[in-house]
């Protein structure tokens, strides 16, 4: 998809404004936080979960989920028409 800096009315990808990128960034950030907490947690946290390092594994899962969202956003971008193109399409008779 090409963007048009000169306002010629071409369609372009949503890019950073795609909500999937925002979701991927937020979930990825929280996943990294949980991963770090899981790596530095003491034995008390492991005792609470019967030896299962929940923070570590949930953090890894969230990072994988965030990567999947980012990949989805890359492979299937949302195409947005410029305002000029939308005005032209709305003014055409049906």
């Amino acid at each position: 998809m090409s963007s048009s800096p000169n306002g010629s009315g071409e369609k372009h990808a949503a890019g950073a404004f795609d909500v999937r990128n925002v979701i991927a960034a937020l979930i990825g950030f929280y996943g990294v936080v949980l991963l770090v907490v899981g790596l530095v947690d003491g034995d008390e946290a492991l005792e609470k979960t019967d030896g299962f390092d929940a923070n570590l594994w949930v953090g890894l899962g969230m990072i994988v989920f965030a990567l999947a969202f980012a990949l989805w956003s890359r492979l299937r971008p949302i195409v947005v028409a410029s305002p000029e193109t939308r005005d032209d399409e709305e003014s055409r008779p049906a």
Side-chain angles (χ1 to χ4, degrees):
M1 308 298 132
S2 64
S3 64
S4 177
N6 61 3
S8 65
E10 294 182 16
K11 295 180 179 181
H12 59 278
F17 299 107
D18 188 350
V19 70
R20 295 173 294 180
N21 291 329
V22 175
I23 292 169
L26 288 173
I27 292 179
F29 174 74
Y30 289 126
V32 169
V33 169
L34 283 176
L35 181 70
V36 170
V37 169
L39 291 173
V40 298
D41 253 353
D43 292 331
E44 291 178 15
L46 289 176
E47 289 175 10
K48 291 179 184 178
T49 57
D50 292 330
F52 178 73
D53 198 350
N55 287 332
L56 178 73
W57 289 106
V58 171
L60 283 172
M62 290 175 80
I63 290 170
V64 168
F65 185 81
L67 290 174
F69 254 66
L71 183 65
W72 177 28
S73 175
R74 272 293 175 196
L75 295 177
R76 305 273 305 194
I78 294 177
V79 178
V80 179
S82 66
E84 295 86 16
T85 305
R86 278 186 256 140
D87 291 341
D88 291 343
E89 289 174 357
E90 291 173 359
S91 64
R92 280 190 285 182

